Amino acid sequence: MTTLRIEHRSHFRYDTEVVSSYNEARLLPAWLPRQRVLDSRVDVSPMTWSTTYRDYWECDVMAFEVLQPHRSLTVTGSSLVEILPQPARAERASWDTLGGPKFQDLLCEYLDNSAMTEPPAELEEYAREAAAKLSPDATARALCEHLHDQMRYVPGATTVHTIAREAWDARSGVCQDFAQLAAGTLRRIGIPARYVSGYLHPKRDAAMGETVQGESHAWVEWWTGEWTGFDPTNDREVGDHHVIVGRAREYSDIPPLSGVVAGATEHLDVTVSVTQVS
């Protein structure tokens, strides 16, 4: 069992005084069978009003307003999470099972693409060639490994509005692009897949109690008899250094922060720190 302390701080600075701001924050880890949330909170300064709710994707959301003049806004999500060991995997589903009407109906939301996740023909062709020789699970892994081999992780190379095809054409992007390309391609060949938003402790050999610069991260989960998480950016299975915040179809369903500010240009600084405490 691994216990991680996470702090995700976003600091907005505005070039002029803002009189109103309306926002949503999805920064807190989900309570899941393998993930126990021991403590979590979101602090906002300044803030006029807030409420919390669980959205359609079962992600915990804090909605808040700032209805007073301000030139900056700080949003900090803090949490303490236990990640339990991965249990033994169940028997994998076959291509026939995935193509049956039962799962086509139950998992239909994770089989359709939008413009954001629609993959390029070249990547779909690679996946179909793999599927002709491999099981669904092995095909999904081969695709993620291919993405890792073909694309470069380049911070700032894309934005949250970059579609999957554009990232592939550039052969570079961030974790969001790797995850959306993987999910979109898997859906095109009949494997249900979902986008996962969360955090990553990037330093496996960090000393106990050492605080390191972490990441707001994204990866993919596919269903082949059960949901399996894989991190194509880092070419490894999701394990005890990954913390899940939300799961949905794509980034725009569960952005960490979203909102509306009237009449100002914003400058954003984000820091994520992660400490393994046990």
Side-chain angles (χ1 to χ4, degrees):
M1 180 176 65
T2 300
T3 304
L4 300 176
R5 188 182 304 280
I6 302 162
E7 182 177 281
H8 181 166
R9 181 179 181 273
S10 300
H11 180 65
F12 297 86
R13 294 174 289 112
Y14 307 110
D15 60 357
T16 187
E17 194 170 72
V18 174
V19 296
S20 61
S21 175
Y22 307 89
N23 309 274
E24 289 187 341
R26 293 172 173 83
L27 302 174
L28 301 182
W31 184 283
L32 301 168
R34 288 191 55 243
Q35 185 172 284
R36 299 172 180 169
V37 182
L38 305 181
D39 183 42
S40 65
R41 71 181 187 276
V42 176
D43 298 310
V44 181
S45 179
M47 182 175 65
T48 303
W49 170 90
S50 70
T51 189
T52 59
Y53 70 96
R54 182 161 292 182
D55 67 13
Y56 176 81
W57 305 104
E58 298 187 348
C59 189
D60 291 324
V61 184
M62 179 180 182
F64 61 93
E65 299 176 350
V66 185
L67 302 179
Q68 65 187 67
H70 59 288
R71 281 186 170 269
S72 66
L73 174 68
T74 302
V75 184
T76 305
S78 305
S79 55
L80 183 66
V81 189
E82 283 183 345
I83 302 104
L84 304 182
Q86 175 71 47
R89 298 193 183 280
E91 183 178 348
R92 297 304 190 179
S94 66
W95 289 111
D96 288 340
T97 299
L98 290 178
K102 177 180 178 181
F103 295 109
Q104 291 287 313
D105 180 44
L106 286 174
L107 299 173
C108 62
E109 288 180 317
Y110 299 116
L111 285 165
D112 287 334
N113 281 318
S114 71
M116 290 299 296
T117 58
E118 189 65 34
E122 179 184 351
L123 204 53
E124 181 181 342
E125 181 181 357
Y126 175 89
R128 292 196 182 281
E129 290 177 357
K133 301 176 287 186
L134 303 171
S135 68
D137 188 64
T139 298
R141 291 169 186 272
L143 171 66
C144 287
E145 291 168 0
H146 183 64
L147 281 169
H148 178 79
D149 290 341
Q150 295 296 312
M151 290 187 63
R152 294 179 300 123
Y153 176 78
V154 181
T158 57
T159 73
V160 296
H161 304 295
T162 301
I163 65 174
R165 288 180 176 182
E166 292 172 344
W168 176 254
D169 288 343
R171 295 297 194 277
S172 63
V174 294
C175 56
Q176 167 194 318
D177 304 302
F178 282 76
Q180 290 189 149
L181 276 166
T185 307
L186 291 175
R187 293 167 187 165
R188 290 289 290 165
I189 63 170
I191 299 178
R194 58 192 182 188
Y195 176 95
V196 186
S197 175
Y199 299 106
L200 172 66
H201 186 315
K203 190 176 179 182
R204 294 191 179 189
D205 59 351
M208 199 67 62
E210 178 187 354
T211 298
V212 302
Q213 181 178 338
E215 301 176 17
S216 180
H217 200 49
W219 57 93
V220 67
E221 289 182 345
W222 62 73
W223 193 91
T224 51
E226 62 181 355
W227 288 105
T228 298
F230 198 92
D231 183 347
T233 306
N234 294 296
D235 193 24
R236 61 180 164 118
E237 284 197 21
V238 170
D240 59 5
H241 278 46
H242 291 77
V243 175
I244 296 170
V245 171
R247 297 150 155 162
R249 297 167 300 181
E250 59 192 54
Y251 172 89
S252 63
D253 288 332
I254 49 171
L257 279 171
S258 59
V260 177
V261 176
T265 301
E266 66 182 30
H267 308 275
L268 173 62
D269 296 310
V270 179
T271 58
V272 177
S273 62
V274 183
T275 308
Q276 184 173 348
V277 298
S278 69

